[in-house]
Structures are given as structure tokens and as C-alpha cells.
Amino acid sequence: MKETVAIGGMTCAACAKRIEKAVGRLQGIASATVNFATEKLSVEYDEQQIVMEAIEKKIVDVGYNVLREVTKSGATIPIGGMTCAACAKRIEKAIGKVGGVLSVSVNVATEKATVSWDPRVAKLSAIRNAIEEAGYQALTPEKSGAVDEDRLRKEREIRTLKIKFVVAAIFGVPLLYLAMVPMDPIVQWLWWLPFPSILRPMNYPLNYALAEIVLVLPILVVGYRFYTVGFRAFFQGSPNMDSLIAIGTSAAVIYSFYSTWQITTGDFAAVDRMYFESAGVIIALILLGKTLEAISKGKTSEAIKKLMGLAPKTAIVIQDGKEIEIPIDEVEIGQVLLVRPGGKIPVDGVITEGHSAVDESMLTGESIPLDKKAGDRVYAATINKNGVIRFEATKVGSDTALAQIIKMVEDAQGSKAPIAQLADVVAGYFVPAVCVIAVVAAAAWYWGTLSVPFALTIFISILIIACPCALGLATPTAIMVGTGKGAEYGILFKGGEALETTHRIDTIVFDKTGTITEGKPEVTDVVTAQGTDRARLLRLTASAEKGSEHPLASAIVRRAEEEKLEFLGVENFQALTGLGIEATIEGSHIFIGNRKLMTEKGVSFGDLEGESDRLAEEGKTPMYAVVDGKLAGIVAVADVVKKSSAEAIRVLREMGISVAMITGDNVRTAAAIAGQVGIDRVLAEVLPQDKSNEVKKLQAEGRRVAMVGDGINDAPALVQADVGISIGSGTDVAMESADIVLMRSDLMDVPTAIQLSRSTIRNIRQNLFWAFAYNTAGIPVAAGLLHLFGGPLLNPILAAAAMSLSSVSVLSNALRLKRFRPQRS
Amino acid sequence: MVEKTAKILSLFVILTVLTVKNADAAFNTDVVGRSAVTSFAALLEALPAVPGADEGVWVLAAPDGGARFAWRRDVSDARVWDVFIRFDARPFVKAGLDLSKLPDGVAFGDEIVLGSRLSPGPLSYEGEVTPLASFEQIVRLDRASVGYHAALDHYGVTVSEGSLFEWAKDMGTNDKDMVFVLNPKIFIDAGVDPAKVEGWAFAPVPVEDDRGRKFEADKFLKPFDLK
């Protein structure tokens, strides 16, 4: 069983590690991965050995919250038949009895019931039934909507953080002013601001200390989470970022209280040893950093929000011949839905009535609307352009193609790239190591200076500047933006590992049929013998082939239809297995088939011999048409190359990537196609089961291979390759086997995927560099290394500012990925 | 949240009450003022004050007789200065002082007087009017004129801008039990070569301004160890 749990209260990568460790130790857990950026735990467990409640309890035990992602639905239902306030009560009671109803309020004056419910438990229809059963009429809901609780929760979190920061700033600024003004010459420019004489530190030291206590108190109250979570983690042996903040600021506060006590005993010089402002301003700055972090984190998941926003909120269902608008959650499989021109298709289904052009660009990226008629499939969130269609719902809720895409992107965003392991390992040891460094450095300085305040400054500065939050954010935020950006381009990375591995690819193997080519034979040439009309030849061959089920025959029939040629009556149709067909049309005896058939029938090629050879050279399949014993012409059929194939391969080669083509076709055909698109390495006549071996051989040469394919026969090779890429027109098996799914059939998305991977990994490296740089450069400075050689000493407040800045800079850098654009030359 | 806030507030109240030690301190946070009176009492014990020639003042004379600190019994009745120091002008004259260049009201024959008025206010003597009781009036009526000088571990009464009379917070541990501190500016402006003033040390002293900013200022110092 695999589940995802939203977690609250995490502040750094160490928190994520801590939860992973705690949950991972439980019996029955196969894997537990926490993504710090999405704040979600992905856990795989054996239901026989452990229940979800036990996992959630463990999370709470180690100091974090399990957030229930309840999606709340709501509607305002006009009610008929109400006469008095008692009716309102009665209806409220009736609705309230429906399981899953979260709130209900009936207004007598407006005669409307405002109801919210958990859509997993209750349905609007059940609520309406309850109203009807109570003796009233439940009219069509005027407005309904689903509320994304997760989004609201995040907005609430940002709002709370903002309020906390504002409170901290309101008290922090005067606190800092009080502490800084006596410091000459730092704030001499503040000379014009008043400074109450009863707070002069040397004349009224106790007043001064009490004023600082009064000012720091609200800041510590709004920052209480750092202490509750931090100390709990510390005492449980897994210190995290909160622990560093809690220990550092607590040391400052406790020592300041000690100084205050010393003032009361007559040691007035102790007023110079107060650090309340350090604690207060550190908390304020970290709250500011956390606020900016929460806002930026929200932006990293905008792509998924866009995808979620594509789905319409309501659907029109045909019930008893009437059109009824219902919430999307209420749609059930088998219901017939109606979509008007310009409307969004609410769920996946099959058209039963009507025809229209449907814009599927939001799913496939394909900008040209597709014509759809009865029997064709339609997908949720696509737009019905110009006709009224009715369709039967076949997939609803989490089963729709859109929901599957969202899930795939969410899973990818929640997964960890191998590069993240490094950051995780470092973060895991980082905090305890920092605690040790802080204690050792402070002790050394105390031994050297015998000054408790100096040693304390060192201790606090190290703890504060070394908070590893930037380290924790470096990888997941870039992956979130990268995978989200990929989704915008119709490129679905199935995980962080795929995203990371893709940037290393140096060789790409393309399957031919359906990947480089359209996968659908088309008529490419119609060559006529002297005295034969082209249209006549095509008309005859198409009419004769209409009875055949061979793909090559279909191509000829399709071409005739495209050219709007009229079909002729066919008599005596006969398929000649492995050779072709024969038939009689308008009294003429016709043979259509391959060279072997021509040889058997002793037909001379005459002038067309050269044309026949040319077509074969080009990898096309010539079909010879013989009318009344004489060769009338050749219709050549071939699987044509996609428009973008050659361009995509050129771009890939420019990117320094070797390109190969793999196919079961004969060498001649394969070479012809390869020549058209610019591929020089051709692996031809490869049996489906041997495709993966060919990939393996390339890997044995030390290459990092990506395989691009679409068919079931490509699946083993997709799995064998370092990165398997399936294209949009491909089979479900290919998509299952692939690491990257291209939603369109456009091969230009292959270089785009590699470019995006390269950009993302570059971004991750930059993030990791900055995160490590802040910490590795910051710790020696905070430890007083520069001071040892006559340089400056890092003020704990500046340490807090630098630490907050590190997270914000890493997030800002990750957000730069949103500006990614594929390079085409 | 409310419960946690209450817990934190309670913790702070307890810590604050504990740190301010006792209820009296909790209500009277002027620890410097209180302690200044106590230590001044110790000074008076070591060097008793006497009524001045002018019946209205108490005088604390330096052991060498070269300087005196005086404070008025009834500040509301002050005619000239409520607190002042008076010292021999001759060492300064020998060092180049031109008495005529001193500000008005400073030079009195062979003596120099630096003093100031205090904020007049209602007097509230309880019991006998003693030197200590009069000093307590100064602390009560013009607390700003009494300060703590951390660098020397002294209390001091400002008698004019930059000039003070200081005494040790703890005479048992301080080798400068009583110090006359002069702002040298008016003297240097009047021709004094600071290095040549006999009986007065000229040295930089860490001080702080009225905003609590610390800096070093040159001062004439006449310290006395009363032990």
C-alpha cells in the first residue's frame, strides 16, 4: 500500500530526515520519503503489519502535524415549500443527518440552504434527497464549488507567518533600536530619534532590561514553534533547524535574564551583557525568511495548480431528458453529459451524439483542434470548439487522463533525485555537527578571553548562521519547478531520478515506426505508365483495395478519399496472400501487388523499371497495378517521416548527442528513412525482443542511452535504457515502461526534455553551491576565525539575516527555472 | 495557541520576578538611585560631611583640602547652586589659567566653583535633616543628575556639564573612594596647559552620553583613597 501524507511543522531538511527515520523504523514500512518542498511523506507499507493511524501517530510523536487533505464541496440550494423558521430548522436537521455534511445553514428569507460537505462521504444528490424527504423541494443549485483545502491551508500558513512576522517586527524594531542606540558609532545617524532618559542603560539599567524583556516577550510568543519543535527534536536526539534557533536564542535569553538578575544585585555593568535583542531580531528575521520561503514555495507548484485549474467545476448531465448542472464530483460512469460549444469537457468519455472540433492542446500541446464524432474519445479539461456533443462518461474523478497527468507530475515533484541524497545525508549530520562546533568554538574563545559574552556571541552566531534550510530546499524546489515546467510543455518526468539522469544522456536511440515516422503508411508516389491517367489509376487501385484489410491497401483508399475520387464497383475480389489482390472493375481484370506477383504473372516493367528501383531505394513499398495484363502504373506507399523528426535530430546532434535508429525493417528501408532525418547509425532488422539487447550493447560501450519509442515492442528497450521516453501517440505499456512521457508526438520534445533536465540540474548545482557556500563560509566567520586575525566578528543578528537570505536566494534561483525556454539552434 | 501563550507568559513573569529578586525591587526599578544613596552613606561614614559656612549646605571636603563637594539642604530655597564643587584655582593659574577667560560665575577669588541648580520640587524630609537625607532629596528630585560610571565603578553627581563628584560604589574594593572630575574644556580654553596642573591628573576616561553611547573623554581627576 502506498500513501501520501501532508505534514505540517517542518522547517528544514533535517525535519524531513527525522520523519523519514522515525517512520522508516516502524515495522511494516517498505519505504518512507519526505519531500521538504512539498511537505509530503510518501510511505509504502504492508497493511498486514501496520495501519496508517500508527504511521500518523509516529509523525505526531516526533513533533509534527499530520494534515488531512479534505476537499470540501459546497453548494447553495434554493428550497421550495418553506413557510416559517421551523421549516428552516427542520431542513437543517434533515441535511445535517446526511453523513459527510460538514455545515448547513438554511435562510428562511432567501429560502436557500448553504451546505458544505466532504465529497468522499456525501453526494449532493443525497443532500437533495434529504430535503425532498423532509417534504420540501430541492431546486437546482445556483452555484457550487469545490474548495481546495490544501491551497487554503497554504494560504492560511502564509497569512499566519505574515502576521507573526509583523508582530515580531513591531516589537523587534524598537528592541533593536533600544539595544543599538547606545552603540557608538554604529547608529550615530539615529541621533535625531528620541531616547527616553529613564531607559539609559547605565543610569537605569533595570528599566532598560525590563523594557527589553517586555519587547522580546511578544516576539518569543509568536516564535514559540521554534522552541516546542526545536527542543523536542533536540531531546529526542535528532536536532533540526528549529533546534539551532531554539538553543541559540534561548542561550541569549537565559544569559540576558542572568544579566538582569546581576543588575538587581548591583552589577550594573551587566547591562552591557544583554542579548534580548539578538534573540528577538533573530526570530523576527527567521519569520521573515519563512514567510518569503512559504510564498516562494507556493510559486514552485504553480504548474500543478494550473493543471488542476483546467478541470471544470460542474457538468451538465442528461437525466430523464432534462439537462441538470451538477458538481464535477457527482458525475458517475455511464452518465450521459452534454457539452455546448466553447464548454470544457468535464470527464473522459466516448461521444454518443454530435460532432465537433475539440481543442486538446492543454493535454497534448497539439494546437490544431481535432475533429471528433460519435465513437471518438474525449478527455476532461479539453475544449469543445464548435458543436454540441453528448458523450458517455467512461472515466471520472482520479481516473481521468487529466487526473492521471496531475498525479504523475505530483509524484515526480514529490520524488527525490539522486543528487538530493547528498543534500539529505549532509543535512542529517549537519545540525549535530554544528552544535558540536558551536560548543567547541565558544569554549575555546572563553578559554582564550575569559569573556562569557564573547563566547556566547560566538555560540549564538554559529548556531544561527548554520541553519541548513537552504540545503534542504536546494534540490526539491528546483525539481518541482523543473517537472512543472516540463508539464507545461507536455513533457512528463515520472520522477526526480528521470529528471536528473536525462541530463547525462549522450546517446539517443529512436524507434523508427511511429516515432520517427508517423507509423501510418501513406501514398507517397503515383507513377503512371504511358497512356494512363493518374486519377484513373488511383481510382481503380483504391476501388480494388477497398475490400482488403491490409494497411497498405488502407493507405491507398485513404488517399483516394482525400482526393475525393469516386469508387467504382468491384467484382470477383480475391486476396492473394503475400502477393496482393485481383478483381474485376468495369469489365477490366486488375492485379495489384508486389514484385513477386508481377514475376509470377510475367508482367514486364518496361519503362517503369527505373522508377520501381528508385522507389525501393527510397524505402518505399511499390505496389504494381496491372490492368488487363499490362502494367498501368505504380502506387508507392511508405511510412512517412514526421515533420519535426529531422529538426529534432539536428538539434540533438548540435547538443552533442549521438543519435541512432532501431527498427525491424530491412536495411534498405531503414537506411532510406535514416538518410531523410540525418541519422548515421542504423540498427536495422532487429527483432522486437532484441531491441533491449541493442540498447545494452550501446551501454556496454560506456554510453548513457535514452530510448524513444511508442510501441509495446519498445517496452523492454525503454526499461533497459538509462532513460526511457515514450511519445504521446504510444501505447499504455510504453508509457508505463518509460521514465519520461511526451504527451505529443512531436520529436522536438526530446531535445526540450534534455535541455530542461540540464537546466534543472544546473539550477540544483547552483542551489547546492549557494547553500553550502553560506554554511561553509558562514561557520568559520561566525566562529571568529576572522576576528582571530584582527578581522570583524559576526553579529548574531547579521547571522540570522544571512541565514534567512540563503533560503530566499536558493528559492529565487529555483524560480528562475520558470523562465526556461527550449533552444532550437 | 492560547494555552502555549499563557505558558510562555507565565514563564516570563516567573523569570522576571525571580530576576528582580524581591518585591521592593519589582516596584522600584531604580536600582542605581537606591544603590547610590547606600554607597553615599558609606562615604559619609568614612568622611563625614559638615555644615558649610553658608548654613544651607552640607560640605564634604577632600582630605587634602584642595576641593570640596557641597549640596544644599533645601533645593527649593537655592539661591545659587544646589550642588557644586569648589576647588583651589592656583594649580590651574600656575598652568596658565587666565581667570578672566572663565565663564561668568565660576571664579571666586582663589577658588573655582562649578555647580548647577536642580529641579525644584516639594521637600519631604522625614525626621532629622542630615547630609544623607539631603542627598536623598537630590536623588528624588533630580535623579538624572545622579549616575553610575561603569568604567570606575563609581556613582556620580553632575555638577556642571562634564564635571562630576564621584564616589566608589564599593569602598572596600575600589582604590578611588572619592574623585573630583572636571571637564577640562573651559580651562584649556582659558589657557591651561593640562599637563602642568599640579594635584590633578589629566587622563582619558570612558564615559557615556545622555543616550547611553560610550566614548572616551579627557578629564581632570582628583582621586582620594579614604582607607
Side-chain angles (χ1 to χ4, degrees):
Chain A
M1 176 75 127
K2 194 174 179 182
E3 283 202 45
T4 303
V5 185
I7 297 173
M10 285 200 295
T11 50
C12 65
C15 294
K17 201 80 196 142
R18 180 167 147 75
I19 296 167
E20 280 178 3
K21 238 194 233 174
V23 174
R25 278 184 196 144
L26 295 171
Q27 204 173 3
I29 300 293
S31 72
T33 313
V34 175
N35 184 309
F36 174 50
T38 55
E39 294 179 33
K40 281 178 181 167
L41 161 73
S42 296
V43 60
E44 213 172 334
Y45 62 99
D46 180 356
E47 290 168 279
Q48 305 297 319
Q49 293 188 55
I50 191 164
V51 290
M52 197 58 210
E53 285 70 25
I55 297 168
E56 290 179 353
K57 187 178 175 298
K58 191 71 195 174
I59 296 165
V60 173
D61 286 349
V62 293
Y64 303 91
N65 310 322
V66 174
L67 305 169
R68 315 262 168 208
E69 293 193 10
V70 176
T71 304
K72 201 164 71 177
S73 290
T76 302
I77 309 167
I79 297 171
M82 281 173 66
T83 51
C84 63
C87 295
K89 276 273 163 250
R90 185 170 151 73
I91 296 166
E92 279 180 1
K93 213 171 169 185
I95 296 173
K97 278 183 184 167
V98 177
V101 168
L102 303 172
S103 70
V104 55
S105 165
V106 177
N107 187 317
V108 189
T110 58
E111 297 187 2
K112 283 174 187 168
T114 307
V115 192
S116 68
W117 67 93
D118 181 349
R120 294 172 305 181
V121 184
K123 292 256 183 267
L124 180 61
S125 52
I127 295 165
R128 298 182 71 199
N129 281 345
I131 297 169
E132 299 277 349
E133 278 169 19
Y136 304 90
Q137 293 100 50
L139 307 174
T140 307
E142 287 177 341
K143 189 184 163 193
S144 56
V147 180
D148 183 349
E149 191 66 23
D150 188 51
R151 181 177 56 80
L152 289 179
R153 181 174 59 78
K154 284 190 172 151
E155 280 172 8
R156 266 201 306 272
E157 186 193 334
I158 291 171
R159 200 167 47 242
T160 307
L161 277 168
K162 275 184 187 167
I163 292 168
K164 283 183 173 180
F165 166 67
V166 168
V167 170
I170 287 170
F171 289 93
V173 169
L175 178 61
L176 188 65
Y177 175 66
L178 206 59
M180 290 292 140
V181 162
M183 286 189 189
D184 183 72
I186 299 173
V187 283
Q188 271 193 350
W189 49 273
L190 291 176
W191 61 268
W192 51 275
L193 280 172
F195 191 83
S197 62
I198 60 156
L199 294 181
R200 277 181 61 183
M202 276 307 161
N203 251 11
Y204 296 95
L206 192 56
N207 288 2
Y208 180 82
L210 291 173
E212 288 208 344
I213 290 171
V214 167
L215 288 170
V216 81
L217 178 62
I219 302 174
L220 298 179
V221 169
V222 294
Y224 75 92
R225 269 205 64 82
F226 295 120
Y227 300 95
T228 51
V229 175
F231 280 119
R232 192 183 299 160
F234 182 78
F235 288 119
Q236 288 179 352
S238 308
N240 58 7
M241 172 193 154
D242 291 330
S243 308
L244 296 179
I245 297 167
I247 295 168
T249 57
S250 295
V253 169
I254 290 167
Y255 188 75
S256 302
F257 266 111
Y258 172 68
S259 297
T260 307
W261 176 76
Q262 283 186 307
I263 290 168
T264 67
T265 64
D267 180 4
F268 306 133
V271 77
D272 285 338
R273 302 190 292 270
M274 310 269 282
Y275 292 95
F276 285 123
E277 86 285 353
S278 294
V281 178
I282 284 167
I283 297 286
L285 284 171
I286 290 166
L287 284 171
L288 171 65
K290 288 272 153 208
T291 308
L292 296 174
E293 192 178 306
I295 294 168
S296 305
K297 265 184 177 174
K299 285 184 182 164
T300 60
S301 56
E302 265 174 11
I304 201 93
K305 283 182 197 155
K306 270 190 206 167
L307 284 173
M308 285 172 167
L310 289 175
K313 304 279 183 267
T314 58
I316 297 171
V317 180
I318 307 295
Q319 261 179 14
D320 304 326
K322 288 181 190 166
E323 295 173 10
I324 300 168
E325 190 171 1
I326 61 168
I328 193 87
D329 302 332
E330 301 277 318
V331 178
E332 288 168 12
I333 292 171
Q335 281 185 316
V336 175
L337 297 118
L338 180 134
V339 185
R340 297 198 173 87
K344 275 187 178 175
I345 290 166
V347 295
D348 291 1
V350 177
I351 296 178
T352 53
E353 221 180 304
H355 58 87
S356 179
V358 178
D359 177 2
E360 294 188 345
S361 60
M362 58 293 297
L363 292 188
T364 63
E366 181 59 57
S367 56
I368 303 165
L370 301 173
D371 285 328
K372 302 261 179 176
K373 56 186 186 304
D376 286 343
R377 291 196 164 278
V378 286
Y379 300 98
T382 58
I383 298 170
N384 175 24
K385 300 295 279 187
N386 52 18
V388 178
I389 53 170
R390 288 182 185 213
F391 72 97
E392 186 183 323
T394 55
K395 284 180 181 173
V396 299
S398 60
D399 293 327
T400 64
L402 177 69
Q404 293 294 318
I405 289 167
I406 291 170
K407 189 172 184 313
M408 206 185 273
V409 176
E410 273 189 324
D411 286 350
Q413 291 188 335
S415 71
K416 277 186 181 169
I419 198 167
Q421 306 295 333
L422 169 71
D424 281 2
V425 170
V426 172
Y429 291 104
F430 198 75
V431 178
V434 166
C435 291
V436 172
I437 292 169
V439 169
V440 170
W445 276 108
Y446 179 72
W447 178 72
T449 62
L450 289 179
S451 165
V452 173
F454 191 89
L456 191 70
T457 301
I458 297 284
F459 181 71
I460 298 168
S461 296
I462 294 175
L463 291 180
I464 300 303
I465 204 163
C467 285
C469 38
L471 207 57
L473 290 168
T475 312
T477 49
I479 285 180
M480 282 179 75
V481 181
T483 48
K485 197 73 201 170
E488 278 180 29
Y489 282 100
I491 299 163
L492 303 181
F493 289 93
K494 282 196 184 167
E497 190 171 352
L499 186 65
E500 183 178 340
T501 313
T502 304
H503 92 285
R504 294 204 191 95
I505 292 305
D506 55 26
T507 303
I508 293 193
V509 179
F510 284 98
D511 166 52
K512 182 183 82 71
T513 311
T515 303
I516 290 178
T517 66
E518 293 285 0
K520 201 164 67 176
E522 283 181 21
V523 172
T524 57
D525 301 82
V526 179
V527 182
T528 54
Q530 206 167 14
T532 308
D533 175 60
R534 181 187 175 280
R536 168 84 182 153
L537 174 68
L538 192 58
R539 197 174 171 200
L540 278 174
T541 50
S543 301
E545 293 284 11
K546 202 163 186 192
S548 170
E549 288 176 359
H550 196 280
L552 299 179
S554 306
I556 297 170
V557 172
R558 209 163 42 244
R559 169 56 73 88
E561 283 171 348
E562 283 166 12
E563 295 190 10
K564 302 197 187 321
L565 298 175
E566 217 169 282
F567 289 90
L568 302 168
V570 179
E571 292 169 59
N572 307 322
F573 174 85
Q574 196 182 344
L576 308 169
T577 310
L579 299 172
I581 59 156
E582 71 173 302
T584 305
I585 298 175
E586 291 179 339
S588 299
H589 186 228
I590 296 169
F591 283 110
I592 304 169
N594 54 22
R595 200 178 183 101
K596 199 173 170 188
L597 178 65
M598 297 302 113
T599 310
E600 269 186 23
K601 298 289 178 189
V603 177
S604 163
F605 283 22
D607 296 345
L608 297 183
E609 183 71 52
E611 281 297 294
S612 171
D613 289 344
R614 178 185 66 79
L615 293 169
E617 281 292 330
E618 289 173 1
K620 295 168 182 169
T621 307
M623 310 251 298
Y624 306 93
V626 180
V627 180
D628 293 331
K630 284 180 71 179
L631 185 64
I634 306 170
V635 179
V637 176
D639 185 5
V640 292
V641 169
K642 286 178 187 168
K643 283 176 189 164
S644 62
S645 295
E647 173 68 0
I649 287 155
R650 185 186 64 77
V651 173
L652 285 169
R653 290 171 71 135
E654 278 177 8
M655 288 166 65
I657 294 169
S658 304
V659 183
M661 188 182 79
I662 195 164
T663 177
D665 281 357
N666 60 62
V667 177
R668 204 174 180 187
T669 308
I673 296 291
Q676 283 180 50
V677 295
I679 293 177
D680 43 24
R681 183 161 187 168
V682 180
L683 308 168
E685 295 176 15
V686 179
L687 295 172
Q689 60 269 31
D690 290 335
K691 280 188 176 177
S692 68
N693 284 334
E694 293 297 328
V695 171
K696 218 182 268 183
K697 280 182 199 165
L698 288 169
Q699 288 170 322
E701 291 174 20
R703 294 167 183 269
R704 295 205 179 251
V705 182
M707 168 76 197
V708 186
D710 68 328
I712 293 172
N713 60 347
D714 296 322
L718 291 172
V719 173
Q720 174 61 41
D722 295 289
V723 175
I725 303 173
S726 85
I727 59 169
S729 54
T731 60
D732 289 347
V733 176
M735 289 193 194
E736 278 292 313
S737 310
D739 302 302
I740 301 171
V741 176
L742 306 181
M743 289 160 73
R744 300 184 295 181
S745 299
D746 188 346
L747 282 200
M748 284 305 289
D749 288 343
V750 175
T752 302
I754 297 170
Q755 286 168 4
L756 181 58
S757 168
R758 287 179 178 180
S759 295
T760 307
I761 297 302
R762 192 164 49 240
N763 192 280
I764 289 172
R765 285 183 180 146
Q766 287 163 352
N767 285 350
L768 287 173
F769 169 79
W770 283 114
F772 276 116
Y774 268 109
N775 288 311
T776 48
I779 291 173
V781 175
L785 197 66
L786 296 181
H787 191 71
L788 203 59
F789 299 101
L793 185 66
L794 185 68
N795 185 298
I797 291 172
L798 292 178
M803 194 279 283
S804 296
L805 195 67
S806 69
S807 300
V808 173
S809 63
V810 159
L811 275 160
S812 305
N813 191 46
L815 288 173
R816 276 193 324 115
L817 262 181
K818 290 176 87 172
R819 297 205 297 264
F820 169 82
R821 295 276 179 279
Q823 289 169 2
R824 292 293 178 241
S825 56
Chain B
M1 172 71 183
V2 174
E3 195 186 331
K4 279 170 184 164
T5 307
K7 275 183 191 169
I8 295 171
L9 283 171
S10 309
L11 178 69
F12 262 72
V13 170
I14 292 164
L15 275 171
T16 308
V17 169
L18 285 175
T19 50
V20 295
K21 219 167 69 171
N22 55 51
D24 178 44
F27 293 110
N28 179 5
T29 59
D30 184 11
V31 283
V32 167
R34 280 189 290 128
S35 183
V37 171
T38 311
S39 62
F40 194 75
L43 175 70
L44 291 177
E45 210 165 282
L47 188 71
V50 294
D54 171 359
E55 287 292 308
V57 298
W58 300 104
V59 174
L60 199 56
D64 69 352
R68 284 163 288 165
F69 168 60
W71 65 103
R72 201 159 287 281
R73 294 177 184 204
D74 185 353
V75 293
S76 61
D77 189 29
R79 277 156 286 176
V80 188
W81 305 127
D82 294 322
V83 287
F84 56 92
I85 53 175
R86 181 187 285 265
F87 52 92
D88 190 353
R90 283 171 297 185
F92 292 89
V93 173
K94 277 185 193 169
L97 176 66
D98 180 349
L99 288 171
S100 65
K101 288 184 179 171
L102 287 174
D104 290 344
V106 171
F108 289 92
D110 287 343
E111 288 191 323
I112 294 169
V113 180
L114 297 173
S116 65
R117 296 285 308 269
L118 300 178
S119 308
L123 301 176
S124 58
Y125 284 105
E126 286 174 7
E128 197 183 348
V129 179
T130 62
L132 184 62
S134 296
F135 178 76
E136 283 176 325
Q137 293 297 318
I138 295 173
V139 175
R140 186 175 68 82
L141 293 173
D142 198 345
R143 171 64 182 78
S145 66
V146 179
Y148 175 68
H149 188 181
L152 299 176
D153 198 18
H154 278 174
Y155 295 106
V157 175
T158 302
V159 292
S160 94
E161 191 182 337
S163 299
L164 304 96
F165 171 74
E166 291 191 354
W167 65 97
K169 191 178 93 178
D170 182 359
M171 289 175 63
T173 57
N174 207 318
D175 61 352
K176 297 176 186 67
D177 297 327
M178 184 171 82
V179 186
F180 293 86
V181 182
L182 303 181
N183 181 351
K185 188 174 182 305
I186 57 168
F187 302 103
I188 292 169
D189 289 349
V192 170
D193 178 352
K196 292 181 178 169
V197 182
E198 287 179 11
W200 291 83
F202 182 74
V205 177
V207 292
E208 66 174 52
D209 66 10
D210 57 359
R211 293 164 76 86
R213 271 195 294 247
K214 294 177 178 62
F215 58 99
E216 281 205 333
D218 288 333
K219 300 281 184 185
F220 284 120
L221 302 166
K222 192 182 246 314
F224 295 96
D225 184 353
L226 302 178
K227 291 181 283 294

